[in-house]
Amino acid sequence: MNPFLINTYIAPEYFCDREIETKTLISTIHNQGNTAFFAQRRLGKTALIQHTFYLLRKKKAICIYLDIYATLSLKDLTNQLANAIYKEFPITKTIGKRFMEAIKVLRPVISIDELSGSPELTLDITQTKQFEKTIPQLLQFLDEQNVKVVIAIDEFQQILNYPEKNIEAILRTAIQQLKNVNFIFCGSNQHLMHQIFRSGKSPFYASTKNINLQKIDRTLYSNFIKKHFEHHKFKVTQESIDLILDLTHGHTYYTQLLCHEIFANGIKTIRSQTILLALGIILLDNQGTYFQYRNLLTAAQWNLLKAIAKEEKISQPYAQDFIYKYRLGNAASVKRSIESLLEKEMIYHNISEAMPYYEVYDKFLMRWLQRT
Ligand SMILES: Nc1ncnc2c1ncn2[C@@H]1O[C@H](COP(=O)(O)OP(=O)(O)OP(=O)(O)O)[C@@H](O)[C@H]1O
Ligand SMILES: [Mg+2]
């Protein structure tokens, strides 16, 4: 089995570090608190939740995971929560029976999802007022079952896009009254997550423990990579591992994917050639997407993206020498392009270091742009 997992969580063995974050999450839950964290895309937010759930389930906690990225309204959120509870507690068990009894008045409809083939529950309610009451009722129901329940809401910033404007207040009030249910809120949009959890005006202000999720420590990641390759009789030097981590900037998803590909290629002595070959295969696989990006951006945006890729990190994109070197026109047009690329999540403004900088969000796209 390929030990470098992408898009799945199997067991702690294949999960690198995150010990402090996991401890904080678990101890906050044990102390009846809620946690919130933000991190840039593909750094390992969802995997951290899955890892924490794996450990919590061993201690018999009920863990409910909601990814609300695709939800558009309070109604969607309500149905997703109801459906998740329905799936967690089979109707054959006591709590499942009680749940169906409790929601009978909301006229639950069970249908088979066309994509997954599994039964899905939806509530037949149409009035917004009714929905405002339903989430508190569902949470109250969970709270009364005398089991420890943890609910993780992934891509939580999505609630800010709902047409209803008082969601945060409704949720905050409902959550405050619970004794057995705790929450993990997580999101990938720094600006919006701060708006929810760090703004003095928000109902959630100062109500959660916050985690600062950064890149995995380089030494720990090195050891993890070495251990898994060597376990499968690969020969890998520190120099090769450094090259891998340099190419991916140590960003989790890209590191996992590159190692996955190197492993899959099966060449047992890992040299820089082997690594670059694997990278080349990945870039070729993604080339179609990269061309699509180019078609979706204006020439000015594309040129700026390429310039940022070539610099890898750029602190002062409005500086004359940068603009001149890549023939980017003037500072005003660079500013417009930066805003648009940020909005499209093509670049990321990293403010976690003393000297903030812009970088291409997707590390493989960055490598591809550097080659053109
Ligand atoms: N600590 C880790 N050790 C090993 N692999 C990890 C770790 N964290 C995440 N991964 C892997 O890295 C990839 C990205 O992780 P994940 O999907 O959790 O990121 P994310 O921050 O939730 O991304 P997105 O913003 O796209 O939702 C996944 O393939 C996951 O399996
Ligand atoms: Mg995720």
Side-chain angles (χ1 to χ4, degrees), residues 18-117:
R18 300 301 194 207
E19 286 193 11
I20 294 173
E21 295 86 349
T22 310
K23 264 203 196 109
T24 308
L25 278 164
I26 291 181
S27 83
T28 307
I29 288 161
H30 283 155
N31 291 288
Q32 290 85 42
N34 303 316
T35 318
F37 66 95
F38 139 84
Q40 56 175 306
R41 294 212 164 275
R42 297 179 158 185
L43 208 56
K45 298 178 294 295
T46 304
L48 175 60
I49 294 175
Q50 288 169 325
H51 179 63
T52 306
F53 274 13
Y54 180 95
L55 301 174
L56 286 168
R57 284 190 178 119
K58 286 212 175 288
K59 300 211 161 125
K60 303 280 178 258
I62 299 291
C63 297
I64 295 176
Y65 173 80
L66 305 179
D67 179 342
I68 65 167
Y69 191 72
T71 62
L72 298 173
S73 65
L74 183 58
K75 177 177 171 169
D76 290 351
L77 177 64
T78 308
N79 274 322
Q80 209 179 5
L81 177 64
N83 188 37
I85 299 172
Y86 165 72
K87 293 204 162 153
E88 194 59 43
F89 299 104
I91 185 118
T92 48
K93 298 265 172 70
T94 322
I95 298 183
K97 279 201 192 87
R98 268 189 236 145
F99 178 61
M100 290 314 275
E101 194 55 40
I103 61 168
K104 218 160 71 186
V105 287
L106 303 170
R107 289 185 289 170
V109 179
I110 301 194
S111 54
I112 302 296
D113 181 67
E114 280 178 26
L115 285 177
S116 65

Side-chain angles (χ1 to χ4, degrees), residues 133-146:
K133 280 191 240 150
T134 307
I135 288 187
Q137 283 166 357
L138 293 173
L139 295 177
Q140 199 58 44
F141 170 82
L142 287 176
D143 203 44
E144 286 160 8
Q145 306 311 311
N146 283 321

Side-chain angles (χ1 to χ4, degrees), residues 139-180:
L139 295 177
Q140 199 58 44
F141 170 82
L142 287 176
D143 203 44
E144 286 160 8
Q145 306 311 311
N146 283 321
V147 283
K148 184 82 187 159
V149 179
V150 182
I151 302 180
I153 310 188
D154 205 344
E155 305 294 353
F156 188 62
Q157 75 268 341
Q158 185 61 26
I159 60 163
L160 295 177
N161 293 329
Y162 294 174
E164 300 90 356
K165 286 299 154 230
N166 50 350
I167 311 273
E168 288 156 274
I170 295 170
L171 288 178
R172 175 83 185 108
T173 311
I175 287 168
Q176 253 169 344
Q177 296 166 7
L178 306 170
K179 286 186 277 321
N180 297 318

